[in-house]
Amino acid sequence: MIPPELRTALATLATADELLVATDFDGVMAPLVQRAEDARPLPESAAALRALAEVPHTSTALISGRALASLRHAASPEPETLLVGSHGAETWTGPNAEPLQLTPVQAALLARARQAVASVVDASPGCRLEDKPAGVVLHTRGAPDDVASAAVDAARGRLGELDGVQVTDGKRVLEASVVHSNKGEGIRALRELTGASAVLFAGDDVTDEHGFAALQRGDVGIKVGPGATAAGFRVDSPADFAEVLTHLLQLRRAAVEN
């Protein structure tokens, strides 16, 4: 069910001269699952985003905490869809986009951060480590709550001793990155790249709050699920967001055709 006030905002958004539809993946396009590699977008969401990318004067993007390789595997995006991974540290804006390259100092710092997280994982049953091109992630979704809490505290303490490491909290994850970036920076870069006059951004996690904070007047921010947020609108689940995307597609097609 789309709230009436959100329907009104979408109707206005759909008339933008240049529209950017940007969305997080996990918990928004796809339901959250125990194993990140098993996540897949809801068919209705995937179809709507694919169709939006084909509408004139409309750009689409996925902005995720996942590494780009993981995002491509899980989302199977269309070539037209722009990608921002690792909370903004990695971007794909076309075949000529430059891949992420760490400096020798960053690479050495990343190795130390990985060692710190690995030592916590070794002592924390149910936790696991994920490597990213610019960071390392502690996943605690498979651990009991007490083990997860202790692991996050321990990892945060050890990472805090490493100058230059950015630590970010998420849902049952703690991520350390040697490239300082966030989803807000990703949205600002995509807005400039696409020339968007209006942006829709949807997210479900605390890491998406940077994205909501980057929105401007006339943009639409949608929080998927519970929790405090700066987003102007909220829906309950990825299934509800699929309905939002499908409705926006209908509105956008009508607006462009007219």
Side-chain angles (χ1 to χ4, degrees), residues 233-255:
F233 304 94
R234 185 191 304 270
V235 296
D236 291 336
S237 68
D240 291 327
F241 182 66
E243 185 180 352
V244 169
L245 278 182
T246 301
H247 183 60
L248 177 61
L249 171 62
Q250 297 167 349
L251 293 171
R252 185 61 174 167
R253 280 174 168 166

Side-chain angles (χ1 to χ4, degrees), residues 46-59:
L49 195 69
R50 185 181 308 116
L52 278 164
E54 297 173 353
V55 177
H57 306 289
T58 308
S59 301

Side-chain angles (χ1 to χ4, degrees), residues 120-121 123-127 138 140 142-154 172:
V120 172
V121 169
S124 307
C127 295
L138 169 67
T140 65
D145 289 346
D146 58 339
V147 173
S149 179
V152 168
D153 288 344
R172 303 290 290 205

Side-chain angles (χ1 to χ4, degrees), residues 13-137:
L13 185 79
T15 64
D17 291 338
E18 295 290 338
L19 176 63
L20 169 63
V21 180
T23 172
D24 187 15
F25 180 73
D26 296 284
V28 179
M29 293 287 291
L32 294 174
V33 294
Q34 186 72 21
R35 292 166 18 110
E37 56 268 34
D38 294 335
R40 294 295 183 273
L42 293 176
E44 186 180 357
S45 291
L49 195 69
R50 185 181 308 116
L52 278 164
E54 297 173 353
V55 177
H57 306 289
T58 308
S59 301
T60 59
L62 292 172
I63 303 180
S64 175
R66 287 176 179 260
L68 281 185
S70 173
L71 183 58
R72 284 196 179 98
H73 173 75
S76 299
E78 293 299 299
E80 295 83 6
T81 296
L82 305 171
L83 304 177
V84 175
S86 300
H87 302 288
E90 296 182 273
T91 59
W92 187 86
T93 55
N96 296 323
E98 291 291 332
L100 175 67
Q101 295 284 349
L102 297 183
T103 66
V105 172
Q106 288 173 323
L109 185 59
L110 177 56
R112 294 176 64 194
R114 189 189 191 284
Q115 184 178 31
V117 174
S119 65
V120 172
V121 169
D122 290 342
S124 307
C127 295
R128 67 180 182 87
L129 179 150
E130 177 192 0
D131 286 307
K132 291 186 177 181
V136 59
V137 186

